[in-house]
Amino acid sequence: MRNRSITIAFYIGICFWFSFAANAQPAKGGKKISSDLFGLFFEDINYSADGGLYAELVQNRSFEYNPTEQKDWSPYSFWEYTAPGFSYGRISVETSQPINSNNPHYMVLDVEHVGHEAKFEGVSGVGLKNTGFDGIVVRANDKYNFSMFVRQLSKDPISFHISLQTPKGKVLAEIKMYTSSNDWTKYTATLIPTLSNDTARLVVLATTEGKFAIDVVSLFPEKTFKNRPNGLRTDLAQMLADMKPGFIRFPGGCLVHGDGLGNMYRWKNTIGPIEQRKEQRNIWNYHQTTGLGYFEYFQFCEDIGAKPLPVLPAAVSCQNSGNTWSIGGTGQRALPLDEMQDYIQEVLDLIEWANGPATSTWGAKRAAAGHPSPFNLEYVGIGNEDKMTPEFQERFKMIYEVVKTKHPEITVVGTVGPSPDGDDFTKGWQLANDQKVPVVDEHYYTSPEWFIANQQRYDAYDRKSSEVYLGEYASWGSKLRNAIAEAACMTSLERNGDIVRMASYAPLLAKKSFTQWKTDLIFFDNKVICPTPNYYVQKMFSANQGDYYFDKIISKDEKDNSLAASCVQESKTGDVILKMVNYGNASKTMKINLSKFGKIAAQAEQIVLTGNPDAENTFENTQNIIPNSSVIKTDKTFEYSAPAMSLTVIRIHTR
Ligand code: AHR
């Protein structure tokens, strides 16, 4: 009897699966479009990584800050010498025996006297206090993982008092630790504050006399995104995950090709234990620990179901380096040709690191970091809006030729300069078409009016040439009108999703008071996140992507450029998704006809973003402009009155 019910259940299951699979077809007449259309572009600009998405709370943890980054910076920056209880000692920065040659500076503390005066009630000793990134935010009863590397330079073990304190010295959490080795050794502890504080300091105090070297002093909240070690700030990472991006391009931007050849982003410097990674100056005039490195980027992509799109320099540095953007730099310089073979190998090694078996040389390094299975890399970007000089073109071709031949499974994304037109754009497209580069990366930052006026841009693109990745775009502003102009553009990207493979707004993140770029998608400080209206537009599109585009479902006044609309179907679910944009200052009617989709559900989910065209979100009012969701009744045909300055998304189930 039991066997019979199992057989029946199995049969029903199979029938259900077959009927679902048969239904997993789009309606007739749709145009196949990219299923990777809307994604994210993460660049370490505006303190997006260190002090931002990367959850490390200690600033200058490895004493590698230096005056080439900001002229008043040094290995001592963001650290204060402290010697409470009438103690005294000496402190110096040394380089003779580092943990790793990639991480040359460390601090030496010679504790000459620990005070024992009865009238002093606190803990006496000599040590260092870190002020974090504008203070350290801690929450009562949460766990914080502390670690430090110490090398005892005197005979006896050193005892430490590690604490979190308010700026006035009130202890929020404390623990004792003891060293045990004359070699570099990692010591770890958990701190649990009894009170919350938004501007705490980390204090590392040696409480016995002696001498020691210290490096890589780190403090992470135990709660990171998906609880990953060396992980990401949960609230910021969740904001990105909520967008359901199809892909993430990283780590830049201009950061990739760097401020001179020596500053190019070399992916191998960013993997392995953090104390072995090579930190470096950021082209945006601050410091990158590379703690958020290639492993963490790939892991994050996997954690949120986005395809990774790493971008590697095309062996030339950024043409803008050395101008007002950066304090060092040389402009565009090219790696000598006799170094190109090694450089190309570096690109091939990345593919092996991401996709090779755990037994391969580079796959083994991925496995050692905790990821034995491949990351399934599909895309690699070569170059970032580079000047189309003969030097660039020669090197791009050399890299592209080898990747294409050895890895036909990888889609290479080339580059066509920083603007929607002009010399680099023309030469870049020429190069791409000559070389048959599968996809090229276009960039434009311009006015909302330009976005409205250029909605037909991709309708005219030759379907036989390279596909487009609109890798960076924004309409110079965080007002609702900017967001809605971008929404109009995004409907045109969907309409042209047969030639536009991917698109991502830029830049993504910006820390309040630490921005280098005016218009960004998500602003944040140590506690608060302030998404722009543009964020909601991006989210409404990327969380509602389809893979088939349908014409003539939405009728509107075709002569009115302030109106835009698109209709896609997600074949996996069968859902039909309508997007309607009104950039005008009065509501306007659109007519919807869904008869080609067969049966449709009686109700649908509707999201509307609208308001005052000049409204923005601010840290004082982060909710000023937010979308409103509701359930509406649907019919095969209906009229929709699109509010002034609005984006509406309606998702209709058909199964
Ligand atoms: O997104 C900010 C910068 O704009 C990028 O680094 C660069 O690619 C572009 O010029």
Side-chain angles (χ1 to χ4, degrees):
M1 183 61 192
R2 191 167 164 269
N3 276 352
R4 201 164 152 241
S5 19
I6 290 174
T7 314
I8 291 170
F10 178 73
Y11 178 75
I12 292 172
I14 290 282
C15 289
F16 179 77
W17 187 85
F18 271 121
S19 73
F20 180 79
N23 270 339
Q25 290 291 329
K28 290 216 167 55
K31 169 170 77 172
K32 178 81 188 85
I33 60 169
S34 168
S35 39
D36 299 336
L37 189 53
F38 298 120
L40 300 179
F41 163 46
F42 178 92
E43 175 168 23
D44 184 5
I45 182 173
N46 307 317
Y47 278 65
S48 299
D50 295 291
L53 185 61
Y54 184 49
E56 174 63 83
L57 295 168
V58 173
Q59 183 160 200
N60 191 14
R61 68 178 174 201
S62 296
F63 309 105
E64 297 298 334
Y65 277 32
N66 66 76
T68 67
E69 299 167 326
Q70 294 198 7
K71 45 181 191 313
D72 56 345
W73 277 8
S74 77
Y76 296 97
S77 294
F78 305 98
W79 291 98
E80 287 166 18
Y81 170 77
T82 179
F86 309 99
S87 312
Y88 55 83
R90 271 181 294 181
I91 181 173
S92 55
V93 174
E94 301 201 2
T95 54
S96 57
Q97 275 181 272
I99 302 179
N100 187 284
S101 56
N102 280 342
N103 182 5
H105 298 88
Y106 55 92
M107 204 69 91
V108 168
L109 270 86
D110 192 352
V111 185
E112 292 172 324
H113 174 70
V114 175
H116 297 290
E117 276 73 1
K119 62 182 177 212
F120 180 69
E121 284 173 4
V123 180
S124 300
V126 171
L128 293 167
K129 192 187 281 187
N130 189 272
T131 51
F133 292 90
D134 256 6
I136 297 174
V137 174
V138 292
R139 290 290 159 256
N141 304 318
D142 277 1
K143 292 186 174 158
Y144 293 85
N145 296 329
F146 168 82
S147 61
M148 63 179 177
F149 281 79
V150 173
R151 185 159 56 86
Q152 247 174 248
L153 300 174
S154 47
K155 198 168 124 284
D156 295 326
I158 311 276
S159 62
F160 281 95
H161 180 261
I162 312 295
S163 61
L164 287 165
Q165 299 184 6
T166 66
K168 289 200 168 146
K170 182 177 167 54
V171 174
L172 303 165
E174 59 190 326
I175 199 149
K176 284 185 180 155
M177 300 176 82
Y178 305 89
T179 60
S180 55
S181 173
N182 289 94
D183 294 323
W184 282 113
T185 303
K186 184 175 182 179
Y187 299 92
T188 60
T190 304
L191 290 162
I192 307 178
T194 48
L195 294 171
S196 298
N197 193 278
D198 295 342
T199 53
R201 276 83 173 105
L202 172 72
V203 183
V204 179
L205 203 64
T207 53
T208 48
E209 283 151 25
K211 193 172 176 184
F212 64 94
I214 183 168
D215 204 357
V216 197
V217 183
S218 167
L219 184 75
F220 267 86
E222 191 180 69
K223 283 185 209 151
T224 56
F225 187 67
K226 303 260 180 207
N227 296 322
R228 298 282 174 208
N230 193 42
L232 307 182
R233 197 175 130 174
T234 45
D235 54 354
L236 275 175
Q238 191 58 53
M239 288 290 290
L240 305 184
D242 290 346
M243 296 173 81
K244 300 198 172 72
F247 65 89
I248 306 180
R249 167 181 173 225
F250 55 85
C254 290
L255 179 102
V256 165
H257 47 180
D259 208 359
L261 278 180
N263 190 247
M264 287 194 309
Y265 194 97
R266 311 295 283 260
W267 74 271
K268 288 184 182 177
N269 291 335
T270 75
I271 59 165
I274 56 167
E275 67 278 9
Q276 295 174 16
R277 298 187 188 180
K278 197 166 185 173
E279 310 200 0
Q280 72 174 13
R281 183 165 60 87
N282 186 317
I283 191 169
W284 300 106
N285 297 329
Y286 58 97
H287 185 88
Q288 37 183 339
T289 60
T290 65
L292 173 51
Y294 259 49
F295 183 83
E296 291 74 23
Y297 283 122
F298 274 77
Q299 183 65 75
F300 182 50
C301 289
E302 186 176 88
D303 282 343
I304 67 170
K307 293 182 181 175
L309 167 49
V311 183
L312 302 171
V316 300
S317 59
C318 177
Q319 64 270 16
N320 298 314
S321 70
N323 70 12
T324 46
W325 291 12
S326 59
I327 53 179
T330 53
Q332 190 186 75
R333 290 280 186 279
L335 274 188
L337 286 174
D338 62 5
E339 289 178 30
M340 280 306 290
Q341 210 179 331
D342 286 350
Y343 186 75
I344 292 168
Q345 190 56 47
E346 198 173 309
V347 179
L348 299 176
D349 290 345
L350 171 66
I351 298 168
E352 183 176 292
W353 177 84
N355 288 354
T359 47
S360 62
T361 309
W362 287 95
K365 293 185 197 295
R366 182 196 66 235
H371 203 287
S373 55
F375 276 123
N376 303 320
L377 177 66
E378 290 178 27
Y379 294 109
V380 171
I382 305 292
N384 172 64
E385 61 173 46
D386 299 274
K387 185 133 201 61
M388 290 290 149
T389 57
E391 291 76 14
F392 164 82
Q393 298 208 20
E394 184 175 17
R395 282 155 187 79
F396 176 86
K397 283 191 227 164
M398 290 169 84
I399 302 167
Y400 173 57
E401 196 52 46
V402 176
V403 174
K404 182 178 77 172
T405 311
K406 296 211 168 180
H407 290 284
E409 77 285 7
I410 295 288
T411 302
V412 171
V413 179
T415 178
V416 293
S419 315
D421 46 31
D423 193 43
D424 290 325
F425 182 81
T426 309
K427 286 183 180 152
W429 267 103
Q430 187 67 55
L431 174 71
N433 285 329
D434 289 351
Q435 298 299 308
K436 303 207 175 337
V437 179
V439 183
V440 293
D441 178 11
E442 293 191 354
H443 294 177
Y444 34 89
Y445 298 92
T446 177
S447 66
E449 293 74 29
W450 186 94
F451 278 86
I452 293 298
N454 283 274
Q455 291 177 64
Q456 277 71 43
R457 177 181 176 90
Y458 296 111
D459 297 329
Y461 269 44
D462 178 358
R463 265 50 191 170
K464 286 193 245 22
S465 66
S466 305
E467 290 182 46
V468 176
Y469 166 37
L470 176 51
E472 296 181 25
Y473 68 98
S475 73
W476 281 134
S478 309
K479 296 188 161 96
L480 181 65
R481 74 167 74 251
N482 297 95
I484 300 301
E486 287 151 13
C489 166
M490 292 172 84
T491 62
S492 82
L493 302 180
E494 284 193 329
R495 184 172 69 246
N496 289 286
D498 56 328
I499 182 93
V500 180
R501 171 88 74 111
M502 295 180 284
S504 49
Y505 182 98
L508 181 61
L509 296 178
K511 189 166 194 173
K512 187 181 172 191
S513 313
F514 294 92
T515 55
Q516 292 84 43
W517 201 268
K518 208 172 73 194
T519 304
D520 305 286
L521 199 64
I522 302 169
F523 290 85
F524 65 93
D525 63 17
N526 286 345
K527 281 195 324 183
V528 179
I529 300 183
C530 179
T532 58
N534 318 58
Y535 166 81
Y536 291 113
V537 164
Q538 291 295 319
K539 182 177 167 188
M540 286 164 73
F541 274 83
S542 64
N544 290 294
Q545 307 198 31
D547 49 352
Y548 281 82
Y549 180 83
F550 292 85
D551 230 355
K552 301 196 173 75
I553 303 295
I554 306 171
S555 323
K556 58 180 177 56
D557 179 356
E558 292 302 325
K559 288 193 255 27
D560 185 345
N561 226 9
S562 66
L563 296 179
S566 66
C567 170
V568 293
Q569 187 171 27
E570 184 184 43
S571 52
K572 182 172 73 185
T573 57
D575 289 357
V576 173
I577 303 153
L578 310 173
K579 301 187 180 92
M580 287 161 287
V581 177
N582 181 359
Y583 186 71
N585 52 16
S587 63
K588 304 225 175 106
T589 300
M590 301 194 196
K591 289 186 181 153
I592 291 104
N593 184 340
L594 300 171
S595 36
K596 72 156 49 171
F597 295 108
K599 231 170 143 190
I600 57 162
Q603 292 188 323
E605 298 149 26
Q606 175 178 285
I607 315 171
V608 183
L609 184 74
T610 187
N612 180 331
D614 291 321
E616 292 183 84
N617 290 334
T618 60
F619 278 82
E620 290 68 44
N621 185 1
T622 58
Q623 305 270 302
N624 193 23
I625 295 285
I626 55 168
N628 282 311
S629 300
S630 58
V631 173
I632 56 159
K633 288 210 173 91
T634 46
D635 222 328
K636 285 266 170 211
T637 58
F638 61 96
E639 289 196 352
Y640 179 71
S641 171
M645 203 50 78
S646 68
L647 164 65
T648 302
V649 174
I650 301 177
R651 183 183 267 269
I652 304 148
H653 303 306
T654 63
R655 288 178 197 146

